[in-house]
Each structure stands twice: as structure tokens, then as C-alpha cells.
Amino acid sequence: MASPSSSELPLKSIPGGYGFPFLGAIKDRYDYFYFQGKDEFFRSRVAKYRSTVFRANMPPGPFISSDSRVVVLLDALTFQILFDTSKVEKRNLLDGTYMPSLSFTGDIRTCAYLDPSETEHSVLKKLFLCFLASRHDRFIPLFRSSLSEMFIKLEDKIAEKNKVVDFNPISDSMSFDFIFRLLSDGTPDSKLAADGPGMFDKWLAFQLAPLASIGLPKIFSILEDLVIHTMPLPFFLVKSGYMKLYNAFYSCSDSFLAEAEKQGINREKACHNLVFLAGFNAYGGMKVLFPILLKWVGTAGEELHRNLADEIRAAVKEEGGLTFSAIEKMSLLKSVVYEALRIEPPVPFQYAKAKEDIVVQSHDSAFKIKKGEIIFGYQPFATKDGKVFENPEKFIGDRFVGEEGEKLLKYVYWSNGRETEEPTPEDKMCPGKNLVVLMARVIVVEFFLRYDTFSVEVNDLPLGPSVKITSVTKAAVKV
């Protein structure tokens, strides 16, 4: 897709505004959470300003964040500036216009809050990349082992209830088991396996509460706003759970901690970073991603299910098992995973601060962002840009199949970068990008090795969808 050169695009002032000090931020917060909702908040302003670039306040606002003013980017072209760390800074901007207390991360700034210009960022991210690479031969066997236990639980519940089964808690338990076994040298004991997902959930919820709505009836909106959007929730209420997780990883992760020491990082700091990687990045991401996958694949219908099952079973049979090479032959499977990541990216928000005066280009205009301004991108709009994707609101399983489909992958941004690029120590792309894609493919493969088709019931939660499996049809022929 060709875009006009910068010399051809008219330079426009950024429309929108922030309203009266303090009051404008609160008004936008109520619009965002209660009066309009996220998508309508952005959609209505696009229509009002006739622009995918505009100014607005982003939650949480007073009194949690000192400055809620941002420049909003909602198209596939301007969004890309958020990846250019030569022009934007990511320091302390993981959660946007506010940062949770460092108490949640052992009183240190973990790698996710560091900017690539900080030396420690490159050291930590290189450590993560090398550590994951050293365990690549464990990915499929470990994940399949965790998945096997998940399917046993799933089928037991189906047999027990013979009705709707909640997928999310079963998926969460599987994710915790896999992440702990992959990133440490041990296996969670029965107590940790049972309690670990809940402890991570509470730790995540207390940090992210100012950015979400619980979904209470509107009559309680003022109460909710006072409780979770006005003052940050205190760490001491989840400290016990966090320290149990920290101690479990510390006692079982000697290989990671020893390697960190070789890189000049003390064990305590390394372990807090490992817990953050495991809980916030990995478990938190999987908690959202797997229900998203089941939602879109489950609702896509039997024709897609049949095509996936045929492709998966043929490749597994040809390769004599589920291997990397078998997965590489599954072009429809790969497209389905990319399409799920495009239509509902598990991390919808990206933030950065302009290091200098920047000119960004949308499809039809150019805009100047001044040095020091906070830039916000809402990814579900950028990856559903109608000028890039045909029928952007529709889940099309084979969208990325073939040469023309593969050209669109550069507009899939879920990993804090283009899907066509690889993470490095010098950028902010997810260090587990390739592992996440692999896991998403494997879970779909395992479904269609076991089942011919399945159906789901979907509802929205503050963090991603709630998926209930309403029926499964076991595979008539097993590979």
C-alpha cells in the first residue's frame, strides 16, 4: 500500500483539546468508562474532528496521574511512531499517564518501565532474550504437557456438568503451570499450582485497576470511580501473595539468577524482573490471549474448523508428530493466529513521549507533535484501519494466507512492533514475541487434534473476553 510522501501531505494542527484543568480530565474519564465506553470514546471523536489524530485526556487522571493530556493516534500509519525509540521515549510509560508504586516490583523499576536509552534496559532484555533462546527446545514439549492437563480438566468438567464450561480459569491454571516450569528450574507444588494464578491476578488487578472499569451498573459509577480511579490501590493488600511468588521463583531459578549475576545484576533485582516477566508479561498476556483465540476461532464456524482440522492433521501425520517443521507447513493456522492478534490485540494501549518535535503522517494529513508531549495509540483501531484492511471488523481466518496476505503482516502490531520484525535489546518489542505466536498456534493445533468442532459463548471482562465452551465434537479420526 503506497502512502503520499510527506511533501504532499498538508500539515494540520492537531484537533481536540483537554477542557478546563482538572475538570476536563474528569469529564473525559467519565466518558471513557461510563457514558460512552472505550471504543465509542474514540469513535465519536474521530467523527467529531474528522481525524484519526486528536488531543484528549486519558485515564486515570486526577488524582492518580499528574498530567492526563495525550495526543491520540488511531490509524495504522501514525501508530508506527510509537515503535521508533530514536524519536520517542518509553521511560515509566508502560501503564500510560500513571505508574504503579514501585512496591509492586520490589522497589525497583523493572525492564518494562526502562527506556532503551538506559543501559540497564539493554542488559536485562538481552538476558531475557538469551535465556528464552536457551530453552527453545522445551517450548513445545512443556506447553503440550501443560495443555494435556488442561484438556483433562476441561473434559472432566464437560462430563460432570454436561453443559457450559468456563474456559478462563482452566486456561489460567495451565498458563501458570507452563510459565513457572519454563522460566524456572522446577515445577509448582500443588499449593502453588492452585493459588498461583489467583495471586498473580490480584497483583495485576491492583496495578491496573485505575485503567479499567469493573463493569458495575451505572448507578454505582461514582462509587467505582472514587474507589479505583481516584487513589491507587495499596500494595500491602497483595504483598503476601507477591512475596510467595517471589520466593517460589527465587528458590527454583538458579540458572537464570546465576546468569544474571554474570551480567552484573544482583539476584534480588533479577528475580523481581523474572517475576514481572512471568506474571505481568507472560501470564498476564496469556490470560487475555487464549480466551481471545477461543472466542474468534470458536465463533468463526464449522467451515473454518474443518479446514483447520484438515490442515493440522495432515501436517502432523506427514511429519510424524507436532514439530516446528509441521507447524511451519500450516499456513491457515498461522493466518488464523495473526488475525486474532490483529482484530483483538491482547495489549490494546501503547504510550510514548516525544524526544523532539515530530511530524507524523496519517493517510491524508501530517501533524506536528511537540517535544515532551505524551503520545497514545489505541491499537484495536490502528489494526482495524479500513484503509489498510478490507472488512477490518470481520474475522477472516485466511486473511494472511499467500503473498498478498503476508504483505499485511507489517500492520500487525500486538508485540509493540511490526510482526515482520524481531525483538532486540535496543527496542521495546516483547522479548517473547515468537514464543507467544508459537503457543497460540500450538493451542489451536491441540484443539483440532482432539475435536472436529466446538462452540463458545462470549462475554466481556475488564481484561479480555470471558469464554465458555458450550459444546465439543470429538475428532472422528485421531492422528
Side-chain angles (χ1 to χ4, degrees):
M1 178 177 179
S3 298
S5 68
S6 58
S7 60
E8 296 172 341
L9 292 173
L11 184 65
K12 296 183 178 180
S13 60
I14 301 174
Y18 307 114
F20 292 109
F22 186 82
L23 295 177
I26 292 179
K27 177 185 180 300
D28 280 357
R29 185 168 79 201
Y30 269 78
D31 282 346
Y32 180 88
F33 286 124
Y34 310 115
F35 300 150
Q36 294 178 306
K38 285 197 299 288
D39 284 8
E40 184 57 29
F41 177 88
F42 297 117
R43 193 178 291 115
S44 64
R45 284 156 179 77
V46 169
K48 178 179 179 180
Y49 304 128
R50 297 181 181 179
S51 175
T52 54
V53 179
F54 53 86
R55 299 183 183 279
N57 297 286
M58 280 301 294
F63 295 94
I64 294 177
S65 60
S66 59
D67 190 351
S68 58
R69 298 172 298 173
V70 302
V71 175
V72 179
L73 310 180
L74 298 180
D75 62 82
L77 300 187
T78 57
F79 195 90
Q80 296 175 24
I81 194 65
L82 293 161
F83 312 141
D84 188 349
T85 53
S86 69
K87 295 180 180 178
V88 300
E89 178 181 278
K90 297 276 193 169
R91 188 188 308 258
N92 297 339
L93 290 172
L94 177 69
D95 301 315
T97 60
Y98 102 108
M99 181 177 173
S101 166
L102 291 182
S103 300
F104 287 96
T105 52
D107 294 319
I108 65 166
R109 292 168 62 231
T110 56
C111 185
Y113 290 103
L114 302 175
D115 184 72
S117 63
E118 298 175 81
T119 303
E120 190 174 11
H121 173 275
S122 297
V123 174
L124 285 166
K125 191 170 181 186
K126 184 178 179 181
L127 174 65
F128 295 153
L129 290 169
C130 292
F131 185 71
L132 287 172
S134 73
R135 303 206 160 196
H136 75 280
D137 59 335
R138 301 188 187 189
F139 293 165
I140 291 179
L142 268 182
F143 193 49
R144 293 194 79 188
S145 173
S146 297
L147 282 175
S148 179
E149 295 175 22
M150 183 191 81
F151 281 110
I152 290 171
K153 292 178 183 178
L154 179 66
E155 293 186 359
D156 284 348
K157 287 185 178 294
I158 290 173
E160 173 190 328
K161 298 184 177 181
N162 196 26
K163 56 181 181 179
V164 175
V165 175
D166 194 347
F167 172 75
N168 291 57
I170 301 173
S171 174
D172 289 349
S173 295
M174 178 275 295
S175 299
F176 180 84
D177 176 75
F178 170 69
I179 288 301
F180 190 90
R181 292 201 287 165
L182 178 69
L183 297 182
S184 78
D185 303 320
T187 299
D189 59 36
S190 57
K191 177 69 171 170
L192 184 63
D195 297 342
M199 291 189 290
F200 264 145
D201 286 345
K202 291 175 185 176
W203 177 71
L204 287 166
F206 270 56
Q207 294 175 78
L208 299 176
L211 307 178
S213 171
I214 300 173
L216 297 175
K218 286 188 178 180
I219 192 173
F220 299 112
S221 59
I222 293 178
L223 175 62
E224 178 189 286
D225 201 59
L226 287 172
V227 173
I228 67 173
H229 299 144
T230 305
M231 298 294 289
L233 299 178
F235 171 64
F236 76 86
L237 293 175
V238 295
K239 181 178 179 179
S240 174
Y242 177 78
M243 291 311 301
K244 288 177 183 177
L245 291 164
Y246 173 88
N247 290 331
F249 274 97
Y250 193 93
S251 63
C252 294
S253 303
D254 190 66
S255 58
F256 176 83
L257 300 178
E259 184 58 34
E261 280 190 311
K262 291 179 184 177
Q263 304 301 322
I265 306 165
N266 70 55
R267 285 182 170 244
E268 289 72 24
K269 178 177 285 190
C271 192
H272 284 297
N273 271 280
L274 182 62
V275 175
F276 193 93
L277 177 71
F280 201 106
N281 301 127
Y283 172 80
M286 293 164 71
K287 181 180 181 67
V288 179
L289 173 60
F290 294 151
I292 286 173
L293 266 178
L294 267 287
K295 166 188 172 179
W296 290 105
V297 175
T299 56
E302 291 190 22
E303 182 179 355
L304 178 64
H305 295 178
R306 184 168 55 252
N307 293 337
L308 277 170
D310 290 345
E311 178 184 75
I312 288 166
R313 294 168 192 176
V316 169
K317 184 176 181 180
E318 183 180 339
E319 290 295 321
L322 181 53
T323 61
F324 286 110
S325 58
I327 291 173
E328 280 304 307
K329 292 182 177 181
M330 303 176 191
S331 57
L332 177 59
L333 168 72
K334 291 190 283 186
S335 177
V336 163
V337 169
Y338 289 138
E339 178 69 342
L341 290 166
R342 177 199 71 84
I343 201 167
E344 193 170 351
V347 180
F349 313 121
Q350 293 291 345
Y351 285 88
K353 180 185 289 187
K355 289 183 177 180
E356 57 190 44
D357 288 354
I358 301 169
V359 175
V360 296
Q361 301 170 36
S362 68
H363 295 285
D364 49 22
S365 301
F367 303 90
K368 185 176 182 179
I369 299 173
K370 295 181 180 179
K371 179 180 179 180
E373 288 193 293
I374 300 294
I375 307 168
F376 164 75
Y378 186 51
Q379 194 167 167
F381 275 40
T383 53
K384 287 187 281 191
D385 187 331
K387 294 186 177 181
V388 172
F389 296 104
E390 187 177 353
N391 295 321
E393 300 288 339
K394 183 179 179 181
F395 181 86
I396 301 174
D398 61 356
R399 186 185 294 276
F400 298 102
V401 172
E403 186 177 344
E404 291 303 311
E406 289 178 0
K407 289 179 181 178
L408 295 172
L409 287 175
K410 64 183 177 181
Y411 297 110
V412 177
Y413 301 142
W414 71 271
S415 63
N416 199 6
R418 300 171 185 83
E419 187 57 38
T420 51
E421 297 178 353
E422 296 296 322
T424 72
E426 287 72 41
D427 62 32
K428 294 299 291 183
M429 184 180 283
C430 173
K433 167 182 174 281
N434 294 327
L435 175 58
V436 171
V437 172
L438 175 65
M439 289 188 300
R441 293 172 181 172
V442 171
I443 195 172
V444 176
V445 167
E446 290 290 350
F447 254 89
F448 288 104
L449 288 177
R450 287 170 167 80
Y451 311 116
D452 286 334
T453 187
F454 65 97
S455 61
V456 297
E457 180 183 291
V458 180
N459 291 295
D460 290 329
L461 293 174
L463 281 177
S466 164
V467 174
K468 299 181 187 297
I469 297 176
T470 56
S471 69
V472 294
T473 302
K474 286 194 175 184
V477 180
K478 292 203 172 186
V479 179

